[in-house]
C-alpha cells in the first residue's frame, strides 16, 4: 500500500508552480471582490491541468486522483485560489464512473480541450442543506425526456460553466422505501436556456463565484440522465468523496502558504533586538500548525489511494477533509498573529487567503457533520441525525 506522494508529483509541482508564478498576489487582489479569474483558468486549461482526470482516449491525461490533488495543492501553496476551477476535477467522478460511452465520447474530449467547461455541481437546496435526501427539485418524465422544476443554492461557478451535474428527484420522497431512493443525476447543458434556467450570483466574504440556480420547466433530453434513474444518490457519492479529498489537498496547500509566509516573516522581523520567531509565543503556534498539516497530509494520501483503487473511501475522505481544513485554519490564525497588524494589509495576501481557507471548515460539508459521520459510521455510536 502506497500512502505517500506519487512518484511523478515533484515534476508536476514544479510545472504548476511555474504557471502560478505568472499570476502573483497582485493578480488575485485585483480580482476582488468578485471577478472570476478567467485568465488563470484558461492557462490551466491550455496546459492540460484541468483535464488531469479525463482518460487519454478522450483527450485528457488519465492521471490518478492522488496526482490531481497535487495540482490543486500546489495552486493553493502558490497563493492562488483553486476554488475557481476545482469542480471540473471532482465532478468527473460521476461522469467517468457512471456515464454512458455515448456521453463520455460526446463531452469529455470537448471538456479536455476547453471547448466546454464543466464546473457546476448542483446538489444543495435552501430547505435541505446538508440533508441531501430531502431535496425537492423534481425531474419529471415527460414524453422522450424530463422537465425540471426547483431551485439550487451554493452552486458555485454556474455563471462560468457550460455544463452542470444536477441531482434531482425523479420519484417523490413519499413514494420511495428509502430516502436515498428516487434521486437521479443529469448532465445539463446550461447554454442558451433563457427563463428555463436562471442564475443569481451570491456575494460572499471571499471571491468564490457562487450562485443560486432556478429551474422553471427546464427541458432535458432522455440522454441527459447519467446511469440508471433513481440511483443518483449513490452516484454522487463518488463525486463527493473526490471533492473532499481534493479540498483536503487545497487546505494542505493553504497551510504551506501560511507557514512559508509566517516563518519567513518571523525570521526577519526584529522586535526588542531579536527575531520574533525566537519567541515561543510565535514559534509554538506555527509548530502546531505544521504538525497538524503533516498528519492531515498522511490521511489525504490514504484517502486518495483508496479512491484510486476503487475501494470504499468515505470515512477517509471525510477525515482527510476535516483534518486538513482544521489544520489550514490553525495555520491561517497563526500566520495572522505572526504578522500582527500587517497581516490585515491586503498587500501581504494573508487576509485574502485567511478568508478563502475559512470556507472549508463549512463546505463542502460542515466539520460538525463529519464528526457525526465518524461517530456513527466508524465508531458505531447511535445516530445523532
Amino acid at each position: 500500500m502506497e500512502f505517500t506522494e506519487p512518484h511523478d508529483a515533484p515534476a508536476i509541482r514544479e510545472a504548476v508552480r511555474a504557471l502560478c508564478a505568472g499570476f502573483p498576489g497582485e493578480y488575485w487582489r485585483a480580482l476582488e471582490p468578485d471577478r472570476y479569474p478567467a485568465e488563470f483558468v484558461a492557462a490551466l486549461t491550455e496546459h492540460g491541468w484541468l483535464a488531469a482526470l479525463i482518460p487519454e482516449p478522450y483527450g485528457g491525461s488519465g492521471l490518478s486522483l492522488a496526482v490531481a490533488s497535487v495540482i490543486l495543492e500546489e495552486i493553493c501553496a502558490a497563493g492562488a485560489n483553486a476554488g475557481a476551477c476545482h469542480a471540473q476535477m471532482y465532478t468527473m467522478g460521476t461522469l467517468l464512473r457512471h456515464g454512458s460511452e455515448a456521453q463520455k465520447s460526446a463531452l469529455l474530449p470537448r471538456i479536455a480541450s476547453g471547448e466546454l467547461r464543466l464546473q457546476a455541481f448542483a446538489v444543495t437546496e435552501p430547505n435541505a442543506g446538508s440533508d441531501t435526501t430531502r431535496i425537492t427539485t423534481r425531474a419529471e418524465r415527460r414524453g422522450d425526456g424530463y422537465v425540471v422544476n426547483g431551485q439550487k443554492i451554493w452552486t458555485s461557478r454556474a455563471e462560468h460553466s457550460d455544463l452542470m451535474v444536477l441531482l434531482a428527484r425523479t420519484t417523490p420522497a413519499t413514494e420511495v422505501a428509502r430516502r436515498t431512493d428516487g434521486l437521479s443525476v443529469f448532465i445539463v447543458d446550461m447554454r442558451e436556456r433563457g427563463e428555463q434556467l436562471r442564475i443569481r450570483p451570491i456575494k460572499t466574504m471571499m471571491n468564490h463565484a457562487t450562485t443560486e440556480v432556478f429551474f422553471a420547466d427546464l427541458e432535458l433530453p432522455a440522454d441527459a440522465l447519467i446511469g440508471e434513474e433513481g440511483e443518483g444518490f449513490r452516484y454522487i457519492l463518488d463525486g463527493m468523496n473526490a471533492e473532499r479529498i481534493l479540498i483536503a489537498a487545497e487546505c494542505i496547500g493553504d497551510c504551506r502558504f501560511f507557514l512559508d509566509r509566517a516563518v519567513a516573516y518571523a525570521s526577519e522581523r526584529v522586535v526588542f533586538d531579536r527575531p520574533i520567531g525566537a519567541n515561543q509565543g510565535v514559534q509554538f503556534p506555527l509548530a502546531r500548525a505544521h504538525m497538524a498539516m503533516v498528519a492531515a497530509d498522511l490521511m489525504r494520501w490514504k484517502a486518495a489511494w483508496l479512491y484510486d483503487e476503487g475501494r470504499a473511501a468515505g470515512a477517509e475522505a471525510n477525515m482527510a477533509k476535516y483534518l486538513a481544513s482544521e489544520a489550514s485554519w490553525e495555520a491561517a490564525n497563526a500566520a495572522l498573529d505572526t504578522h500582527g497588524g500587517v497581516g490585515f494589509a491586503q498587500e501581504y495576501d494573508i487576509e485574502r487567503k485567511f478568508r478563502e481557507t475559512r470556507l472549508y471548515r463549512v463546505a463542502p460539508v460542515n466539520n460538525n457533520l463529519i464528526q457525526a459521520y465518524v461517530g456513527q459510521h466508524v465508531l458505531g455510536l447511535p445516530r445523532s441525525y
Side-chain angles (χ1 to χ4, degrees), residues 180-243:
T180 54
D181 293 341
L183 295 164
S184 300
V185 176
F186 299 87
I187 186 79
V188 180
D189 188 333
M190 297 194 295
R191 297 170 296 174
E192 300 180 4
R193 303 312 292 260
E195 290 300 308
Q196 291 185 0
L197 190 155
R198 293 184 296 109
I199 300 171
R200 187 183 75 83
I202 301 172
K203 293 187 179 297
T204 63
M205 67 182 285
M206 69 288 183
N207 187 357
H208 194 66
T210 197
T211 70
E212 287 184 283
V213 182
F214 301 87
F215 307 96
D217 292 330
L218 174 67
E219 298 175 355
L220 298 179
D223 61 7
L225 177 70
I226 294 179
E228 296 182 31
E229 187 176 297
E231 296 295 320
F233 185 79
R234 179 169 62 87
Y235 297 161
I236 65 162
L237 290 181
D238 285 332
M240 288 180 170
N241 286 335
E243 179 183 32

Side-chain angles (χ1 to χ4, degrees), residues 275-331:
I276 62 172
N279 300 314
Q280 292 179 349
V282 173
Q283 192 175 110
F284 284 8
L286 297 175
R288 287 195 298 269
H290 174 78
M291 290 186 283
M293 177 187 72
V294 172
D297 201 25
L298 292 173
M299 183 57 73
R300 180 263 293 255
W301 294 126
K302 181 177 181 180
W305 180 83
L306 288 169
Y307 185 92
D308 286 329
E309 289 291 308
R311 302 190 184 191
E316 288 78 9
N318 274 288
M319 289 189 286
K321 184 269 178 186
Y322 177 95
L323 293 172
S325 61
E326 293 291 328
S328 67
W329 183 234
E330 184 173 0

Side-chain angles (χ1 to χ4, degrees), residues 25 29 257 261 345-354:
R29 292 195 294 274
F257 171 85
R261 293 294 182 94
Q346 292 182 349
E347 66 184 282
Y348 283 79
D349 290 311
I350 299 297
E351 62 86 28
R352 173 177 61 83
K353 293 291 287 181
F354 182 94

Side-chain angles (χ1 to χ4, degrees), residues 68-384:
S69 77
V70 171
I71 298 169
L72 297 183
E73 176 196 342
E74 210 59 41
I75 289 171
C76 289
N81 182 5
C85 55
H86 58 197
Q88 188 145 305
M89 290 190 179
Y90 62 72
T91 51
M92 281 297 140
T94 304
L95 183 57
L96 289 175
R97 294 191 173 196
H98 307 290
S100 67
E101 180 56 39
Q103 287 170 329
K104 290 187 283 189
S105 296
L107 298 176
L108 291 180
R110 299 169 71 192
I111 295 170
S113 70
E115 179 186 348
L116 292 177
R117 186 176 288 165
L118 173 58
Q119 286 280 12
F121 194 38
V123 176
T124 306
E125 297 183 6
N127 296 321
S130 298
D131 191 352
T132 302
T133 61
R134 294 190 182 276
I135 66 169
T136 58
T137 293
R138 182 77 193 279
E140 185 177 357
R141 192 70 187 251
R142 292 188 195 171
D144 294 332
Y146 294 85
V147 175
V148 180
N149 285 282
Q151 177 186 359
K152 297 293 181 179
I153 197 170
W154 309 124
T155 304
S156 299
R157 299 159 301 275
E159 292 180 292
H160 307 284
S161 182
D162 301 303
L163 304 174
M164 166 194 289
V165 171
L166 168 69
L167 182 70
R169 275 217 165 272
T170 43
T171 304
T174 55
E175 299 176 16
V176 296
R178 298 176 302 172
R179 290 191 303 168
T180 54
D181 293 341
L183 295 164
S184 300
V185 176
F186 299 87
I187 186 79
V188 180
D189 188 333
M190 297 194 295
R191 297 170 296 174
E192 300 180 4
R193 303 312 292 260
E195 290 300 308
Q196 291 185 0
L197 190 155
R198 293 184 296 109
I199 300 171
R200 187 183 75 83
I202 301 172
K203 293 187 179 297
T204 63
M205 67 182 285
M206 69 288 183
N207 187 357
H208 194 66
T210 197
T211 70
E212 287 184 283
V213 182
F214 301 87
F215 307 96
D217 292 330
L218 174 67
E219 298 175 355
L220 298 179
D223 61 7
L225 177 70
I226 294 179
E228 296 182 31
E229 187 176 297
E231 296 295 320
F233 185 79
R234 179 169 62 87
Y235 297 161
I236 65 162
L237 290 181
D238 285 332
M240 288 180 170
N241 286 335
E243 179 183 32
R244 289 165 196 187
I245 295 166
L246 293 174
I247 293 297
E250 292 180 37
C251 289
I252 289 162
D254 283 344
C255 279
R256 288 173 49 203
F257 171 85
F258 288 122
L259 290 172
D260 287 349
R261 293 294 182 94
V263 167
Y265 187 81
S267 299
E268 298 167 357
R269 173 66 168 161
V270 175
V271 178
F272 299 120
D273 299 322
R274 63 177 181 177
I276 62 172
N279 300 314
Q280 292 179 349
V282 173
Q283 192 175 110
F284 284 8
L286 297 175
R288 287 195 298 269
H290 174 78
M291 290 186 283
M293 177 187 72
V294 172
D297 201 25
L298 292 173
M299 183 57 73
R300 180 263 293 255
W301 294 126
K302 181 177 181 180
W305 180 83
L306 288 169
Y307 185 92
D308 286 329
E309 289 291 308
R311 302 190 184 191
E316 288 78 9
N318 274 288
M319 289 189 286
K321 184 269 178 186
Y322 177 95
L323 293 172
S325 61
E326 293 291 328
S328 67
W329 183 234
E330 184 173 0
N333 281 284
L336 191 58
D337 285 342
T338 298
H339 284 78
V342 299
F344 293 88
Q346 292 182 349
E347 66 184 282
Y348 283 79
D349 290 311
I350 299 297
E351 62 86 28
R352 173 177 61 83
K353 293 291 287 181
F354 182 94
R355 289 182 282 116
E356 291 172 1
T357 210
R358 180 61 177 84
L359 170 66
Y360 296 122
R361 294 183 78 205
V362 174
V365 60
N366 194 293
N367 281 358
N368 287 334
L369 285 176
I370 292 180
Q371 292 179 88
Y373 175 92
V374 172
Q376 293 163 210
H377 297 285
V378 178
L379 301 180
L381 291 166
R383 289 184 63 90
S384 63

Side-chain angles (χ1 to χ4, degrees), residues 3-22:
F3 298 160
T4 56
E5 180 171 291
H7 66 87
D8 47 355
I12 289 174
R13 291 187 187 281
E14 183 178 355
V16 174
R17 274 198 301 270
L19 185 151
C20 290

